């Protein structure tokens, strides 16, 4: 008997280990919203007291911006002047404002951050930027920018959080809390449907309520729920009215449906009718009638809230209550963040800069996506001692980054060449125009390509023929050719995708992100980023195709940005909720690389799915659990993804939708039990008839996998 007992105990220990090495558990995602230091109720009472002392003339001044980037201060009321500055990937230095901040860290772009699928990192990233805002006297950060990646040509995609509303929402809520934990106000922008920068002031996004609620609002909703204190409206029209003066956009969608209570500001020079603006629910017209030397702005005429408010009041077109509401919202928001009680500037955060640089680098490590690795060409081996780096474009020496208000230069930048030299020493050489024999004799060829994306215009998905041809030529001379992409968003890689041995998608990497690239090439870092966007084979496949009027051409520069004489471009969001992978899957269009895809130097196995209940009601929570094992030889992170598929619905639904994910670190051979949680909301769609989220009873599938096109574990469940 004793022997049997001993045998069973030994067997159990062998199978499940001792307590000391029991399988680790990855708990379900959880999140805590931001609470401002002063409650809205208290702040609102203080704002009332201030308002009662303020003259009408001062109110008219206060509800409009001051000196381009400030909220006006009034010493007589103890209201401080506050500085607002861009943006999502770091503090933009405005030299023209006599350097309120001297140095700021350039982080990898927000789209790169999203490729980490690491909400905790989004918190740290934003907290670092918030701390630098404190150094630079910045009270309000004009970010996060968070428009959904509807089409890959948008010049501002690099500033945003990708194509999936759920992924964007989780990153944004953590960003907001990280930012505001430093005492800096976060601004959710651009509300709403500013999904192209092509003549952005002259576009009209025509979009249904359901599409808004399922695709374009969830990230904003998450930001609002996380406690974001400010929102910026967008340049474009939404369903026929400029967003910044639209009662529907601000009062109905933002304040009504999303329940936003804080400060709503306009984008810079984007409201045209002061009466409508005041009535729309907007609080702060930015930046007001500061007229830079541009004939266009002078031609705009007397469009400003600041210069019209008192006249409109006299004419009884607006009321004093309207002006009070605007001024009060600005004050309440700023008071609740403590901005009327303490200085913004805090130089003690200067000592945190080294930590910020480390977070920037860690972001690049986790963001870089390995798309192709034929015959395991990567990581490079020590025997690889004649590595040739070729630059098509300037990104070997200059750091690729996005332009416009979001641009952050950074400091102590590490160029690609420097980072690779540090890692590989004499084993690597750089030639802008190598000879045929240079290429043939190289042990490996690295080609650096990239795009230069910016606010103010879009750029083609296709690369110039000269770039594609050069890649093809180099790849035909050396089979061990690897392409390194530094782009703000997707690019067309179809012409050479299969001809090269490796592709590394490294986004805009920030000031030191090339160190991560070097580590990935050498194997010191195991790549773990996954695509937060779909890379279509050609732009014609995309749901956004056709948004530019036939015959119109791309442009660069700012001239066309303010061209208000051109005819309006109506952009119909005909694809509805089928954005990104939702589109490609439903329409059965095979992309080049799928949403959620990315390779590693190790392999992972998914097993033992358990779902707490097979039949659930709308009030139930469903616990999902599965085992993730690193089956390869090196440690690595896997991003496990959970999608939900509705088997039958009364409306058109995407084939599947992301509803949970988890980045899991595993040593070689290690397993972890990964837990996720679902509620009925995760199975629902937005019903236009009732203006509510509806989960229809019936069968659904819970799908778990490593990329949107690779579902490994499945379980059917029924909503009763
Ligand atoms: C951009 C905003 C930015 C603002 C202030 C505008 O051109 O669209 O995103 O915050 O300028 O710099």
């Amino acid at each position: 008997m004793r022997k049997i007992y001993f045998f069973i105990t030994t067997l159990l220990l062998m199978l499940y280990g001792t307590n000391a090495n029991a399988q680790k558990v990855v708990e379900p995602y959880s999140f805590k919203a931001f609470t401002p230091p002063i409650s809205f109720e208290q702040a609102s009472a203080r704002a009332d007291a201030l308002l009662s002392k303020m003259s009408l003339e001062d109110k008219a001044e206060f509800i409009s911006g001051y000196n381009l980037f400030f909220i006006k201060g009034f010493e007589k009321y103890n209201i401080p002047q506050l500085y607002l500055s861009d943006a999502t990937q770091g503090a933009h230095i405005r030299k023209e404002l006599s350097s309120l901040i001297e140095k700021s860290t350039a982080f990898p772009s927000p789209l790169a951050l999203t490729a980490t699928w690491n909400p905790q990192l989004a918190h740290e990233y934003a907290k670092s930027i918030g701390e630098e805002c404190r150094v630079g006297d910045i009270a309000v950060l004009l970010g996060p920018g968070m428009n959904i990646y509807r089409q890959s040509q948008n010049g501002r995609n690099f500033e945003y959080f990708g194509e999936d509303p759920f992924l964007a929402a989780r990153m944004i809520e953590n960003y907001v809390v990280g930012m505001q934990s430093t005492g800096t106000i976060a601004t959710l922008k651009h509300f709403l449907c500013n999904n192209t920068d092509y003549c952005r002031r002259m576009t009209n996004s025509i979009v249904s309520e359901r599409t808004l609620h399922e695709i374009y609002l969830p990230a904003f909703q998450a930001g609002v729920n996380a406690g974001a204190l400010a929102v910026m409206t967008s340049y474009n029209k939404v369903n026929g009215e400029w967003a910044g003066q639209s009662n529907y956009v601000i009062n109905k969608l933002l304040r009504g449906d999303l329940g936003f209570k804080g400060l709503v500001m306009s984008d810079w020079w984007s409201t045209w009718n002061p009466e409508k603006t005041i009535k729309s629910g907007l609080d702060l017209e930015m930046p007001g009638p500061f007229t830079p030397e541009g004939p266009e702005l002078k031609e705009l005429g007397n469009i400003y809230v600041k210069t019209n408010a008192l006249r409109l009041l006299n004419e009884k077109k607006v009321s004093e209550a309207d002006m009070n509401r605007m001024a009060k919202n600005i004050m309440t928001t700023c008071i609740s963040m403590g901005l009327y009680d303490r200085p913004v500037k805090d130089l003690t955060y200067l000592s945190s800069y080294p930590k910020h640089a480390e977070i920037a680098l860690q972001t690049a490590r986790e963001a870089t996506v390995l798309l192709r690795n034929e015959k395991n060409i990567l990581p490079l081996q020590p025997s690889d001692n004649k590595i040739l780096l070729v630059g098509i474009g300037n990104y070997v020496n200059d750091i690729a980054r996005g332009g416009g208000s979001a641009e952050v230069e950074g400091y102590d930048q590490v160029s690609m060449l420097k980072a690779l030299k540090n890692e590989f020493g004499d084993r690597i050489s750089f030639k802008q125009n190598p000879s045929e024999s240079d290429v043939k004799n190289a042990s490996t060829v690295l080609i650096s390509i990239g795009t230069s994306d910016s606010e103010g215009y879009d750029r083609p998905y296709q690369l110039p023929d000269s770039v594609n041809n050069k890649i093809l030529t180099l790849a035909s001379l050396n089979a061990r050719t690897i392409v390194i992409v530094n782009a703000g968003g997707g690019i067309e890689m179809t012409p050479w995708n299969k001809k090269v041995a490796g592709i590394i998608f490294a986004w805009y990497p920030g000031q030191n992100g090339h160190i991560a690239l070097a580590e990935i090439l050498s194997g010191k870092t195991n790549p773990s980023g996954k695509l937060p966007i779909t890379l279509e084979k050609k732009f014609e496949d995309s749901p956004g195709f056709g948004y530019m009027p036939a015959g119109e051409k791309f442009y660069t520069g700012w001239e066309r940005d303010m061209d208000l004489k051109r005819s309006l471009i109506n952009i119909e969001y005909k694809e509805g909720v089928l954005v990104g992978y939702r589109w490609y899957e439903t329409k059965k269009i095979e992309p080049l690389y799928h949403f959620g895809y990315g390779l590693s130097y190790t392999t992972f196995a998914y097993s033992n799915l358990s779902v707490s209940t097979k039949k659930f009601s709308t009030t139930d929570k469903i616990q999902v659990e599965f085992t993730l094992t690193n089956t390869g030889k090196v440690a690595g992170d896997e991003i496990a993804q959970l999608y939900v598929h509705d088997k039958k619905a009364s409306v058109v639904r995407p084939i599947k939708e992301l509803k949970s994910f988890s980045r899991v670190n595993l040593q070689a051979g290690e397993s972890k039990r990964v837990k996720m949680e679902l509620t009925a909301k995760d199975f629902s769609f937005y019903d236009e008839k009732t203006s509510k989220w509806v989960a229809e009873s019936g069968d659904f599938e819970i799908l778990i996998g490593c990329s949107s096109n690779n579902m490994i574990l499945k379980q059917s469940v029924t909503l009763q």
Side-chain angles (χ1 to χ4, degrees):
M1 185 66 188
R2 257 209 200 145
K3 267 190 186 158
I4 295 176
Y5 175 76
F6 179 75
F7 175 75
I8 293 175
T9 320
T10 319
L11 191 73
L12 284 175
L13 278 176
M14 277 168 61
L15 281 176
Y16 298 107
T18 59
N19 260 355
N21 55 20
Q23 199 174 67
K24 286 195 190 132
V25 169
V26 181
E27 295 298 337
Y29 173 78
S30 67
F31 165 78
K32 200 165 166 287
F34 172 80
T35 322
I38 299 176
S39 74
F40 252 63
E41 290 67 38
Q42 267 178 294
S44 151
R46 276 177 64 182
D48 279 335
L50 279 174
L51 264 181
S52 65
K53 291 188 222 149
M54 210 177 207
S55 69
L56 267 178
E57 290 71 21
D58 288 344
K59 284 178 195 168
E61 291 270 311
F62 189 61
I63 59 181
S64 185
Y66 173 73
N67 199 10
L68 274 174
F69 289 98
F70 295 86
I71 299 178
K72 193 171 168 60
F74 293 87
E75 256 179 57
K76 57 182 166 185
Y77 307 121
N78 278 331
I79 295 179
Q81 171 174 303
L82 296 170
Y83 177 33
L84 288 59
S85 183
D86 294 282
T88 315
Q89 60 187 349
H92 176 103
I93 297 180
R94 294 202 179 271
K95 297 205 174 84
E96 72 275 18
L97 293 177
S98 60
S99 289
L100 288 169
I101 180 169
E102 276 164 21
K103 143 173 154 173
S104 64
T105 307
F107 287 81
S109 66
L111 189 58
L113 173 65
T114 315
T116 71
W117 299 57
N118 185 343
Q120 187 52 38
L121 192 55
H123 178 107
E124 294 302 315
Y125 172 111
K127 183 165 173 266
S128 310
I129 298 168
E131 290 178 349
E132 296 189 10
C133 288
R134 295 299 302 271
V135 171
D137 208 21
I138 297 164
V140 180
L141 183 89
L142 300 171
M146 47 196 285
N147 296 89
I148 288 289
Y149 187 106
R150 174 175 182 262
Q151 53 91 4
S152 42
Q153 299 190 151
N154 181 1
R156 297 190 86 170
N157 276 333
F158 73 94
E159 289 185 54
Y160 305 147
F161 289 74
E163 72 181 33
D164 183 74
F166 182 85
L167 173 59
R170 300 295 77 78
M171 302 301 279
I172 292 291
E173 62 197 7
N174 284 277
Y175 188 109
V176 165
V177 176
M179 170 64 51
Q180 294 196 160
S181 70
T182 68
T184 309
I185 289 180
T187 309
L188 311 174
K189 73 181 187 186
H190 309 87
F191 200 77
L192 190 63
C193 290
N194 185 182
N195 306 102
T196 170
D197 250 39
Y198 185 85
C199 300
R200 60 184 171 173
R201 284 185 161 90
M202 291 305 287
T203 56
N204 177 26
S205 301
I206 302 170
V207 51
S208 76
E209 282 265 319
R210 178 176 170 213
T211 304
L212 286 175
H213 281 272
E214 289 190 28
I215 303 295
Y216 298 99
L217 289 173
F220 283 98
Q221 179 76 77
V224 170
N225 294 351
L229 290 169
V231 170
M232 185 193 294
T233 54
S234 55
Y235 281 117
N236 52 292
K237 285 188 171 184
V238 179
N239 293 332
E241 180 58 280
W242 306 110
Q245 59 185 47
S246 164
N247 184 50
Y248 168 69
V249 168
I250 305 173
N251 276 334
K252 152 83 171 66
L253 293 175
L254 179 60
R255 297 208 190 271
D257 295 356
L258 303 194
F260 182 68
K261 295 200 175 58
L263 187 169
V264 185
M265 72 181 84
S266 67
D267 202 342
W268 272 229
W269 299 292
S270 67
T271 57
W272 313 111
N273 178 325
E275 183 183 338
K276 278 190 182 176
T277 305
I278 293 174
K279 290 281 181 199
S280 68
L282 193 99
D283 303 317
L284 181 62
E285 162 197 60
M286 285 307 292
F290 174 97
T291 316
E293 302 317 309
E296 309 90 344
L297 280 185
K298 281 185 194 134
E299 275 172 26
L300 296 181
N302 191 11
I303 55 164
Y304 300 104
V305 165
K306 187 183 258 176
T307 45
N308 285 287
L310 296 179
R311 173 183 63 78
L312 291 168
L313 193 65
N314 279 338
E315 292 169 8
K316 300 210 166 20
K317 292 192 172 133
V318 302
S319 66
E320 192 172 349
D322 291 325
M323 284 171 69
N324 283 345
R325 177 196 54 74
M326 296 172 84
K328 185 173 168 182
N329 278 347
I330 302 171
M331 287 175 190
T332 308
T333 305
C334 298
I335 293 172
S336 80
M337 192 49 129
L339 297 175
Y340 286 10
D341 303 322
R342 58 159 169 90
V344 173
K345 201 175 178 82
D346 184 347
L347 294 179
T348 55
Y349 288 117
L350 271 174
S351 62
S352 305
Y353 273 61
K355 190 171 164 219
H356 301 165
E358 186 48 44
I359 289 167
L361 174 55
Q362 186 58 24
T363 306
R365 286 192 183 110
E366 295 187 22
T368 305
V369 185
L370 177 61
L371 289 177
R372 191 169 163 82
N373 194 14
E374 286 305 282
K375 298 192 191 135
N376 290 333
I377 183 172
L378 289 168
L380 300 177
Q381 299 305 312
S383 56
D384 217 328
N385 55 14
K386 277 184 97 182
I387 308 166
L388 174 67
L389 174 63
V390 183
I392 310 181
N394 307 323
Y395 296 142
V396 165
N397 289 306
D398 301 343
I399 291 177
R401 59 170 183 264
S405 59
E407 184 172 7
V408 184
E409 209 176 308
Y411 63 95
D412 291 352
Q413 294 90 342
V414 184
S415 70
M416 185 183 293
L417 185 55
K418 192 166 164 199
L420 297 188
K421 276 271 174 207
N422 286 346
E423 189 70 36
F424 297 102
D426 292 343
R427 293 164 59 203
I428 194 160
S429 63
F430 165 60
K431 291 221 165 122
Q432 190 72 37
N433 288 307
S435 67
E436 256 191 55
S437 68
D438 290 334
V439 179
K440 280 187 179 155
N441 293 333
S443 57
T444 298
V445 180
L446 303 177
I447 309 177
S448 152
I449 63 163
T451 60
S452 165
D453 304 357
S454 174
E455 175 185 343
Y457 44 91
D458 284 2
R459 56 103 172 131
Y461 188 60
Q462 258 186 334
L463 295 170
D465 287 346
S466 58
V467 174
N468 288 332
N469 291 338
K470 189 150 181 195
I471 296 173
L472 287 170
T473 309
L474 292 168
S476 71
L477 294 172
N478 193 319
R480 289 180 53 88
T481 293
I482 298 167
V483 178
I484 299 159
V485 182
N486 286 124
I491 54 166
E492 192 198 270
M493 301 188 292
T494 315
W496 40 264
N497 173 57
K498 286 212 173 118
K499 306 274 189 224
V500 298
I503 302 176
I504 297 178
F505 217 90
W507 316 104
Y508 287 155
Q511 64 185 37
N512 55 9
H514 290 311
I515 298 174
L517 170 72
E519 290 173 355
I520 285 172
L521 288 168
S522 73
K524 272 188 196 152
T525 290
N526 188 352
S528 58
K530 297 213 179 185
L531 290 175
I533 54 175
T534 306
L535 293 171
E536 65 269 26
K537 284 187 179 152
K538 51 185 192 307
F539 189 58
E540 287 76 356
D541 291 346
S542 144
F545 176 66
Y547 75 99
M548 269 166 65
E552 293 209 16
K553 293 212 167 60
F554 286 102
Y555 61 93
T556 55
W558 291 88
E559 295 83 63
R560 298 210 20 216
D561 188 44
M562 275 305 279
D563 179 3
L564 301 178
K565 293 202 189 94
R566 64 147 299 139
S567 52
L568 195 71
I569 306 171
N570 284 322
I571 304 180
E572 281 190 57
Y573 288 39
K574 285 195 199 122
E575 73 286 356
V577 297
L578 302 179
V579 173
Y581 63 90
R582 291 162 164 80
W583 167 264
Y584 297 101
E585 288 191 343
T586 311
K587 299 287 169 188
K588 298 193 170 53
I589 302 169
E590 187 62 18
L592 195 63
Y593 290 104
H594 292 260
F595 173 83
Y597 178 79
L599 297 169
S600 164
Y601 294 155
T602 188
T603 45
F604 300 98
Y606 290 67
S607 61
N608 290 340
L609 174 64
S610 92
V611 174
S612 60
T613 172
K614 310 275 165 345
K615 294 200 159 79
F616 66 107
S617 72
T618 48
T619 52
D620 286 340
K621 279 193 174 149
I622 306 180
Q623 319 294 337
V624 179
E625 278 186 43
F626 57 94
T627 300
L628 195 59
T629 307
N630 181 343
T631 49
K633 293 198 176 63
V634 290
D637 282 11
E638 169 66 327
I639 296 160
Q641 301 157 41
L642 183 156
Y643 295 80
V644 161
H645 164 61
D646 190 351
K647 287 194 177 161
K648 199 171 159 218
S650 62
V651 295
V652 175
R653 296 201 69 181
I655 305 273
K656 61 166 122 53
E657 295 178 83
L658 183 74
K659 292 299 169 189
S660 189
F661 61 87
S662 184
R663 173 182 266 270
V664 184
N665 176 263
L666 292 162
Q667 297 305 309
E670 191 186 12
S671 291
K672 283 184 184 161
R673 195 79 184 140
V674 183
K675 297 190 176 181
M676 295 178 174
E677 203 169 72
L678 299 171
T679 64
K681 175 84 191 289
D682 296 314
F683 298 84
S684 59
F685 62 86
Y686 186 83
D687 179 26
E688 289 191 343
K689 286 188 222 108
T690 56
S691 302
K692 288 206 170 77
W693 286 88
V694 174
E696 288 180 334
S697 51
D699 296 338
F700 295 85
E701 253 178 349
I702 295 173
L703 307 161
I704 290 155
C706 56
S707 144
S708 62
N709 70 322
N710 194 348
M711 295 299 114
I712 303 163
L713 304 171
K714 288 182 193 170
Q715 175 66 58
S716 290
V717 289
T718 306
L719 175 61
Q720 289 172 320

